[in-house]
Amino acid sequence: QVQLVESGGGLVQAGGSLKLSCATSNSERNLGWYSMGWFRQAPGKERESVVSVNWRGDKTNYEDSVKGRFTISRDHAKNMLYLQMDRLKPEDTAVYYCAADVNRDNIWDYWGQGTQVTVSS
């Protein structure tokens, strides 16, 4: 079992920045072992992938609308996953989730509870 907890969401004006964090409450689980991803779901829309990183950390896959604005990163020492979001737009408003692919099979096995990001115009 991998329990994920997101934090860092909030209300920000368009053009601003936020940094989301994802941690695990299971200290024996090393997030560096897994492929990890950030997803988002806006009201009335399906959940979509924002960015993912493979377990080795050498491959990332960004959704086109966030390329050049969002950056995924890991801190292995702190066992954390981050999403730096810059130049935010109102259309980035959504609940953001982190997820873990523990078997490295492109299936997202565990999800956090989500954190709300609201970008005002």
Side-chain angles (χ1 to χ4, degrees), residues 55-75:
W55 67 275
R56 281 188 293 267
D58 60 353
K59 291 184 181 179
T60 56
N61 185 25
Y62 287 89
E63 195 270 329
D64 285 345
S65 70
V66 307
K67 286 180 180 178
R69 299 189 299 121
F70 290 12
T71 305
I72 192 170
S73 64
R74 298 179 188 257
D75 185 327

Side-chain angles (χ1 to χ4, degrees), residues 2 34 39 46 54 56 63 68 70 78 94 108:
V2 180
Y34 313 134
F39 295 76
E46 293 192 354
N54 68 345
R56 281 188 293 267
E63 195 270 329
F70 290 12
K78 295 182 179 179
W108 300 102

Side-chain angles (χ1 to χ4, degrees), residues 20-107:
L20 305 183
S21 300
C22 176
T24 176
S25 58
N26 310 68
S27 59
E28 69 272 16
R29 294 285 189 170
N30 186 340
L31 296 183
W33 297 338
Y34 313 134
S35 297
M36 299 292 296
W38 286 98
F39 295 76
R40 66 185 179 186
Q41 187 168 19
K45 295 187 177 181
E46 293 192 354
R47 185 166 56 194
E48 65 175 355
S49 174
V50 176
V51 58
S52 61
V53 59
N54 68 345
W55 67 275
R56 281 188 293 267
D58 60 353
K59 291 184 181 179
T60 56
N61 185 25
Y62 287 89
E63 195 270 329
D64 285 345
S65 70
V66 307
K67 286 180 180 178
R69 299 189 299 121
F70 290 12
T71 305
I72 192 170
S73 64
R74 298 179 188 257
D75 185 327
H76 292 287
K78 295 182 179 179
N79 201 17
M80 295 285 291
L81 178 76
Y82 301 104
L83 181 64
Q84 177 67 44
M85 306 186 294
D86 298 319
R87 302 198 305 279
L88 282 159
K89 303 176 181 180
E91 50 264 43
D92 295 317
T93 295
V95 177
Y96 284 70
Y97 301 88
C98 68
D101 169 10
V102 301
N103 298 311
R104 307 169 187 169
D105 58 0
N106 298 317
I107 297 174

Side-chain angles (χ1 to χ4, degrees), residues 2-22:
V2 180
Q3 295 175 319
L4 301 173
V5 180
E6 304 94 337
S7 61
L11 173 64
V12 63
Q13 288 189 332
S17 297
L18 282 174
K19 186 174 184 178
L20 305 183
S21 300
C22 176

